[in-house]
């Protein structure tokens, strides 16, 4: 199981527990649980900020290893501590989508829509829009929460290649 899917599952479990408490009819217990979650998030966020601060004078290798770890990188994004800008995080996330070659076309900040162009690995331009969208959304979920939707454009088809050869001997 990848760190990202484990993180997503943990987030869903926390939401489910909070929902159960809210539905239990005890508003004080639900409010206390939400306050506890917020306090823990603040606590861990402060710890992560301190780690980044301590690493700021260290050689870049340690920071690069942290950013390469999916779980650590997603926690840094969650706490708004990730040192890379949005475009760099988007590029890093899409580089991890192995089954599709995705090229960023643009990002609409108002709607949160990222437009990408999909190509199959062999470069034929016949990328699968649905599969590419799902793969991109999954990759971006933890690393670029600013992206709320992904619009996949199929790359324009290149020139048609024709096989030119001699006719079989008996076909003339």
């Amino acid at each position: 199981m990848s760190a990202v899917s484990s993180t997503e599952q943990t987030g869903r479990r926390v939401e489910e527990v909070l929902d159960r408490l809210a539905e239990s009819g005890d508003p004080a217990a639900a409010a206390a649980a939400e306050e506890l979650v917020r306090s823990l998030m603040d606590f861990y966020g402060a710890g992560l900020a301190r780690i980044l601060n301590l690493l700021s004078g260290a050689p870049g290798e340690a920071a690069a290893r942290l950013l390469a770890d999916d779980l650590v990188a997603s926690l840094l994004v969650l706490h708004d501590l990730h040192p890379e800008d949005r475009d760099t995080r988007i590029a890093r996330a899409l580089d991890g989508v192995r089954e599709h070659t995705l090229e960023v076309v643009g990002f609409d900040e108002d709607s949160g829509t990222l437009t990408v162009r999909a190509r199959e690995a062999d470069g034929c331009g016949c990328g699968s829009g649905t599969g590419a969208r799902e793969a991109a959304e999954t990759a971006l979920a933890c690393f670029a929460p600013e992206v709320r939707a992904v619009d996949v454009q199929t790359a324009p088809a290149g020139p048609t290649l024709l096989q030119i050869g001699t006719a079989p001997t008996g076909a003339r």
Side-chain angles (χ1 to χ4, degrees), residues 44-57 66 72 76 81:
Y44 287 114
L48 287 169
R50 171 119 5 122
I51 289 169
L52 286 180
N53 188 38
L54 291 170
L55 286 175
S56 65
L66 286 175
V72 173
L76 293 174
L81 296 169

Side-chain angles (χ1 to χ4, degrees), residues 58-70:
E61 181 183 329
R65 286 191 2 233
L66 286 175
L67 295 180
D69 183 278
D70 289 350

Side-chain angles (χ1 to χ4, degrees), residues 27-101:
E34 285 188 35
E35 182 180 350
L36 175 61
V37 170
R38 270 194 302 279
S39 295
L40 285 171
M41 292 290 294
D42 291 344
F43 176 71
Y44 287 114
L48 287 169
R50 171 119 5 122
I51 289 169
L52 286 180
N53 188 38
L54 291 170
L55 286 175
S56 65
E61 181 183 329
R65 286 191 2 233
L66 286 175
L67 295 180
D69 183 278
D70 289 350
L71 176 60
V72 173
S74 66
L75 287 172
L76 293 174
V77 169
L78 177 68
H79 291 284
D80 199 24
L81 296 169
H82 202 290
E84 295 176 336
D85 64 15
R86 179 197 69 220
D87 294 339
T88 303
R89 288 184 284 110
I90 288 172
R92 184 187 291 259
L94 294 178
D95 283 347
V97 179
R98 304 271 184 247
E99 65 273 14
H100 300 278
T101 302

Side-chain angles (χ1 to χ4, degrees), residues 69-151:
D69 183 278
D70 289 350
L71 176 60
V72 173
S74 66
L75 287 172
L76 293 174
V77 169
L78 177 68
H79 291 284
D80 199 24
L81 296 169
H82 202 290
E84 295 176 336
D85 64 15
R86 179 197 69 220
D87 294 339
T88 303
R89 288 184 284 110
I90 288 172
R92 184 187 291 259
L94 294 178
D95 283 347
V97 179
R98 304 271 184 247
E99 65 273 14
H100 300 278
T101 302
L102 301 172
E103 171 190 352
V104 175
V105 175
F107 179 70
D108 182 298
E109 291 189 36
D110 293 333
S111 68
T113 301
L114 177 69
T115 303
V116 297
R117 186 172 296 120
R119 296 182 193 273
E120 288 297 320
D122 63 4
C124 71
C126 54
S128 165
T130 303
R133 179 178 12 272
E134 291 171 359
E137 287 172 348
T138 299
L140 292 163
C142 289
F143 302 108
E146 319 68 357
V147 177
R148 293 187 294 274
V150 176
D151 178 33

